[in-house]
Amino acid sequence: MQQLDALVEKSSRAASIIWACVTLAVAATVWLLFKDTGAIPPEFYQAEPGTIVPFAFTSVVIVWLVLGALLFALRSQTVRETRGFKLVCAAAALIFYANVFREHTNYGDYGDYIQAAVNLESHAPFHGRYLYPPFFATLLSHMLPAYEGQIFYLLWTLNLLSVGVFAFLLCALLERYGFAPRAAAGCVFAFVAINVPMLRTLAYVQVNFFVVNAIFLSILWYPRHIILSALALAFAAHLKISPCMLALPFLLCRDWRWLVAFALGLGIFAAPTLLEFGPEPFLSSFKNVQDIYSANGGVFRENSVDSLFRSGMIIGLVSPEYADSLVKAGRAVLIVLGVTALWRALRWWPFAPSGEAGATVLNAAPVLMLTMMVVSPLMWEHHPVFAALPFLVMLRRVSSPGEWVAYGFALFLIYYVPTFDFYPWSYGRLVGAVTLLVLMVKTSSAGQRGTFEVIRRAAA
């Protein structure tokens, strides 16, 4: 092991020197081209068919900078020992998706955020598809009108960078749940390498990575950094409403300091909108949530219980007089299932031992992250990025062949099956999420030992 560590140190030192020399050469070339004209002359670059030139160059710059940062970081023995596997996993994930989305040319939901910012600036109600708190639209409104054309490129770049942060934080969380560093990094990279919800999040330039990364930070920082933990979750709740559910375990363990900080954080992030635009944006956002079904109609790849029965009504398979009752009954069943999984998680401590710092939060978080997704009136194909932690921590719980088969099918349906619209077979992601919730209930007993845990103890 010492020989390998020495080899990594020497290799990273040599590679970082080469990287720095190449970087300086490229920078000098760009500077010389910019010096006289203020722009790179078009004869020095080409745009191949189907290429968005800014994205192509941004992807190359990101990949090159990530490589350099990784090489310089690995020169430190302390970094290699404490964060080496997480950094390699995060860099690999970011490089992978930078290459995938350098080829992408058609993007989706970012326009809803820009339109919401325009609505704010004109003091008009939000358009019907904006179903979020007004904080994000408030931030973007400050880029109008001068930088409106650049908002898309900014959001695209931030989304891509968030992939690396997502992988790094997920590795760190798995280590917090007892995974060895190598096992955590291996599981996370295998998870992100084929992942439809991540692809769809990036394709739609969604805010999901910003939200889930803030949730991860909130869990990681607790209980050592209570104020930061609370502020991180408050930030997530101002991007999407559903993360408010994750405040429940802090209430259950009566951490009043965290709860006060969370309440103050909600007020802090609400202040910019209130001071600049008043309460009307919040009322407009709330009205849009009340009219949530009018935003999209019946879409078969939207996998909520609401969509299952309302789409069935639209195509004539469900009677209109029973559709609302079926939606309420279905959501009630999922809430009961989620509450049962939470109760068992807090009774048997399946994910983290009771002596672990913040054990209540660690055991409740996977259940609540999954529950907030399945009980939502909307569950788009990009939403299961929120189920990454629940799926991976469950690797330590499933044990019997039947459990592994159920887990494998749930993983396959949610993360591997391409998006398609064919009623009712395109509702596989709903089936997969409910299956995992049932597995959480089944495997949470004190005597259950997952296959991975048995192997780890036998090898120790």
Side-chain angles (χ1 to χ4, degrees):
M1 182 62 77
Q2 290 181 345
Q3 291 179 339
L4 178 61
D5 189 63
L7 177 63
V8 171
E9 183 177 358
K10 291 179 180 178
S11 300
S12 60
R13 183 185 299 117
S16 61
I17 293 172
I18 295 172
W19 180 91
C21 292
V22 174
T23 302
L24 289 174
V26 173
T29 302
V30 173
W31 180 77
L32 289 172
L33 293 174
F34 262 94
K35 187 175 65 169
D36 295 327
T37 63
I40 297 178
E43 57 267 24
F44 280 84
Y45 67 89
Q46 295 176 337
E48 64 181 279
T51 292
I52 301 177
V53 173
F55 289 173
F57 283 104
T58 301
S59 299
V60 173
V61 170
I62 287 175
V63 167
W64 186 251
L65 292 179
V66 166
L67 173 64
L70 181 65
L71 291 174
F72 278 96
L74 292 179
R75 293 177 64 174
S76 167
Q77 183 178 358
T78 302
V79 170
R80 289 197 304 273
E81 292 176 351
T82 58
R83 299 183 181 90
F85 290 110
K86 294 191 286 288
L87 287 173
V88 170
C89 177
L94 181 49
I95 289 171
F96 173 76
Y97 280 99
N99 277 279
V100 170
F101 280 90
R102 174 255 181 269
E103 307 296 335
H104 205 73
T105 58
N106 187 27
Y107 294 87
D109 291 349
Y110 73 93
D112 291 336
Y113 307 131
I114 298 175
Q115 182 59 47
V118 173
N119 294 148
L120 272 181
E121 279 295 295
S122 59
H123 296 276
F126 287 132
H127 63 100
R129 282 179 53 82
Y130 191 77
L131 304 171
Y132 313 94
F135 175 71
F136 196 53
T138 302
L139 292 180
L140 297 182
S141 70
H142 292 287
M143 299 183 66
L144 301 174
Y147 300 103
E148 182 174 348
Q150 283 71 49
I151 291 177
F152 176 35
Y153 300 113
L154 174 64
L155 295 181
W156 185 90
T157 303
L158 290 177
N159 249 282
L160 197 56
L161 294 173
S162 295
V163 171
V165 178
F166 173 82
F168 182 88
L169 294 178
L170 189 52
C171 284
L173 265 179
L174 291 185
E175 290 183 29
R176 184 88 183 271
Y177 280 97
F179 283 67
R182 291 182 183 180
C187 289
V188 169
F189 185 72
F191 181 78
V192 303
I194 305 176
N195 194 299
V196 172
M198 289 182 66
L199 288 166
R200 301 294 288 192
T201 292
L202 291 170
Y204 282 97
V205 198
Q206 263 282 347
V207 296
N208 294 335
F209 283 125
F210 308 152
V211 178
V212 74
N213 286 342
I215 292 172
F216 287 170
L217 284 172
S218 180
I219 300 170
L220 279 168
W221 279 334
Y222 186 79
R224 293 185 62 187
H225 307 288
I226 289 177
I227 306 299
L228 291 176
S229 170
L231 291 177
L233 191 62
F235 176 77
H238 269 284
L239 294 178
K240 285 197 171 185
I241 300 171
S242 53
C244 286
M245 186 184 292
L246 291 164
L248 180 59
F250 300 97
L251 179 62
L252 293 175
C253 64
R254 296 187 179 89
D255 192 332
W256 305 117
R257 185 183 173 199
W258 188 97
L259 291 168
V260 169
F262 178 67
L264 289 174
L266 291 176
I268 289 170
F269 290 116
T273 304
L274 289 170
L275 292 173
E276 192 168 357
F277 302 106
E280 287 79 12
F282 292 92
L283 299 175
S284 177
S285 178
F286 180 68
K287 182 180 182 300
N288 284 352
V289 172
Q290 287 183 309
D291 299 333
I292 196 168
Y293 300 123
S294 62
N296 298 288
V299 182
F300 300 159
R301 67 180 180 278
E302 194 270 283
N303 269 210
S304 65
V305 169
D306 302 54
S307 174
L308 177 64
F309 294 117
R310 290 184 179 276
S311 295
M313 177 186 69
I314 291 171
I315 64 177
L317 293 179
V318 176
S319 172
E321 61 181 308
Y322 297 122
D324 282 340
S325 298
L326 288 172
V327 167
K328 291 175 182 177
R331 188 178 289 124
V333 169
L334 294 178
I335 291 173
V336 169
L337 191 59
V339 170
T340 303
L342 179 63
W343 177 77
R344 289 178 67 86
L346 295 179
R347 181 183 181 188
W348 298 115
W349 312 96
F351 305 122
S354 57
E356 175 76 19
T360 299
V361 174
L362 290 173
N363 282 284
V367 178
L368 289 174
M369 291 186 76
L370 185 62
T371 303
M372 79 176 191
M373 186 181 77
V374 297
V375 302
S376 171
L378 290 175
M379 194 175 92
W380 291 102
E381 64 272 26
H382 48 75
H383 285 168
V385 295
F386 297 112
L389 179 64
F391 260 98
L392 292 180
V393 297
M394 280 296 291
L395 286 171
R396 296 188 61 192
R397 301 304 302 170
V398 291
S399 59
S400 70
E403 290 169 0
W404 275 109
V405 168
Y407 178 88
F409 268 109
L411 183 70
F412 188 83
L413 290 173
I414 291 179
Y415 294 104
Y416 295 164
V417 176
T419 300
F420 66 102
D421 297 82
F422 180 30
Y423 192 91
W425 299 103
S426 53
Y427 287 82
R429 289 184 170 83
L430 175 61
V431 174
V434 174
T435 300
L436 186 67
L437 200 52
V438 171
L439 280 174
M440 283 185 165
V441 174
K442 184 179 184 300
T443 63
S444 58
S445 61
Q448 174 93 8
R449 279 190 186 178
T451 303
F452 275 26
E453 183 69 11
V454 172
I455 294 173
R456 186 182 71 83
R457 293 194 179 192

